[in-house]
Structures are given as structure tokens and as C-alpha cells.
Amino acid sequence: DAGVIQSPRHEVTEMGQEVTLRCKPISGHNSLFWYRQTMMRGLELLIYFNNNVPIDDSGMPEDRFSAKMPNASFSTLKIQPSEPRDSAVYFCASSSRLLTEAFFGQGTRLTVV
Amino acid sequence: ELKVEQNPLFLSMQEGKNYTIYCNYSTTSDRLYWYRQDPGKSLESLFVLLSNGAVKQEGRLMASLDTKARLSTLHITAAVHDLSATYFCAVDTHYNTDKLIFGTGTRLQVFP
């Protein structure tokens, strides 16, 4: 398996633009997590899905952020409109109850100018 | 709200020395994970601890879990430069909502 795949790896956008980050979890994993990592706030859990259903989105910073998981092999995190303070590395991770640990993608480094 | 705290936040140590990183968490859980992150890279799983008293060892790293004290430790033996990285612990709150919450991270630098 290729592991968790995220795209794009890097994104530079202007303030006010819409940004969509994509994630393909490991096949067979039924939990998917979106994290944001910054120097100031560390690793923050934004939202997680179980069996494609959003279970807890209390970490989503505001209404500008939204996430979807239309099927077991794909998830998106959208920011609209983007702001400079959204600049961070966004990680997607997936896990299976059988395996227990979460495996991380390579991350998307987002820069909003 | 679950809180996961690590200490120290920064650790600079000489090669050959031993040290321990501590991870405290605030709610009941019997699943704890340790991850390693190199600069600019993703997170790599090191250890999975699934019960009270669990101990795992890999090379110069050994992790343990005390669920009664809500404490996990990551012990480094005879540190080498290749261990320089940031180490995170994470707690699975499956008793409640199945979240995976990470600690603040410990940035380790090993120098000659």
C-alpha cells in the first residue's frame, strides 16, 4: 500500500481564495483525521471521520473551514475564504481499529499571502 | 476536555547520555502512542502501548505506560545524533469519542 496520500504537497494562495486539500486514506482504514500543525499551536485535531461520517468537528477553527468524506477512499478539507493565519502544515491520517495506530500522510504546506 | 502534556518541551543532550521524556494525560485511556517527526517531514509511528504496564523497546528507545498514573515515558539510552527529532505522544480517547489527541511535542537535539 502507498500509505496515506495527500495533495497538493505545497500550496501558495492569495488571501480570500478558496483552498481545497485532498486526502486518500489507506485502503481498509475506517477512521480519518485532519490535523493542522503550526509552531505556535502544535498539532491540532480539526475533524475526524469514522466510516465516512464526521464524528467530531469541534476542532474546526471557524465556518470558513469545511471537510467532507464522500466515500471511504477520499476526503477533502476546504478553506473559503483563506486568510494568512491559515498558513500551516495540514496532515491527514487514517487508522483501523484492528491496527490501532494512525498513519500520517506527507502533509500539505499551505501558505496564504 | 482531554489534555496531553509533555515535558520537557526542548531537550539538548550529549551523545552517550540517558534521558526520559514524560507524557501526562488528563482522562481515562489505555491506548497511548509515540511518534517521531523529523524537520519538514511527516509523523512516523514508534510505539503503540495498549494496556497498563505495557513496555516496548526499539533500539535505544523504550516506552512504557502507567494508566493509573495517566503517565507514559519515553526513555533514551546512550543517545546518538540520529535520534535528534521531535517526539510526540498521543492519546486515544476511545472511551468517549475515539479522538486521537497529541501532546505538545519534545524537540530533542543530540550533540557530540
Side-chain angles (χ1 to χ4, degrees):
Chain A
D1 199 315
V4 177
I5 300 173
Q6 291 186 245
S7 65
R9 291 291 306 277
H10 303 273
E11 177 80 31
V12 180
T13 190
E14 291 185 346
M15 182 174 63
Q17 296 298 306
E18 177 180 296
V19 175
T20 299
L21 312 181
R22 297 174 175 79
C23 175
K24 177 177 168 38
I26 293 172
S27 177
H29 283 190
N30 59 355
S31 291
L32 184 139
F33 307 84
W34 282 101
Y35 289 90
R36 178 173 68 176
Q37 186 176 37
T38 60
M39 287 294 293
M40 291 297 294
R41 302 176 69 89
L43 266 168
E44 301 174 274
L45 176 63
L46 300 178
I47 185 171
Y48 79 97
F49 296 83
N50 188 256
N51 293 325
N52 311 339
V53 176
I55 302 300
D56 190 328
D57 65 354
S58 60
M60 296 286 260
E62 45 196 283
D63 292 345
R64 297 184 297 107
F65 286 69
S66 63
K68 295 182 180 179
M69 191 166 186
N71 56 63
S73 59
F74 185 65
S75 177
T76 59
L77 178 67
K78 184 180 293 186
I79 308 172
Q80 165 64 18
S82 58
E83 297 182 3
R85 59 190 168 130
D86 301 331
S87 297
V89 180
Y90 291 81
F91 286 104
C92 174
S94 70
S95 73
S96 162
R97 274 204 172 262
L98 292 177
L99 296 175
T100 71
E101 65 200 286
F103 294 85
F104 280 73
Q106 291 302 304
T108 295
R109 181 173 295 276
L110 173 65
T111 304
V112 183
V113 297
Chain B
E1 179 186 346
L2 170 63
K3 291 188 178 181
V4 183
E5 296 182 343
Q6 289 180 235
N7 69 83
L9 296 182
F10 299 97
L11 178 55
S12 182
M13 57 189 298
Q14 194 171 19
E15 281 188 332
K17 298 294 186 181
N18 304 332
Y19 208 84
T20 300
I21 298 171
Y22 297 89
C23 173
N24 292 90
Y25 54 97
S26 63
T27 193
T28 302
S29 176
D30 60 1
R31 295 188 202 173
L32 190 134
Y33 312 85
W34 284 95
Y35 286 82
R36 168 180 171 146
Q37 185 179 35
D38 291 300
K41 303 294 186 182
S42 185
L43 282 84
E44 173 190 356
S45 175
L46 291 175
F47 298 110
V48 179
L49 303 169
L50 299 179
S51 61
N52 185 40
V55 177
K56 295 279 185 74
Q57 182 163 6
E58 180 73 32
R60 301 173 187 274
L61 300 178
M62 183 173 71
S64 65
L65 177 62
D66 181 343
T67 59
K68 294 180 180 178
R70 298 179 183 174
L71 170 69
S72 180
T73 60
L74 180 65
H75 187 72
I76 304 158
T77 301
V80 294
H81 182 261
D82 285 352
L83 291 179
S84 298
T86 299
Y87 293 86
F88 292 93
C89 64
V91 177
D92 182 339
T93 65
H94 71 283
Y95 282 115
N96 298 317
T97 59
D98 213 24
K99 285 184 177 183
L100 186 61
I101 304 298
F102 279 78
T104 48
T106 296
R107 184 172 177 181
L108 171 66
Q109 184 175 14
V110 182
F111 59 92

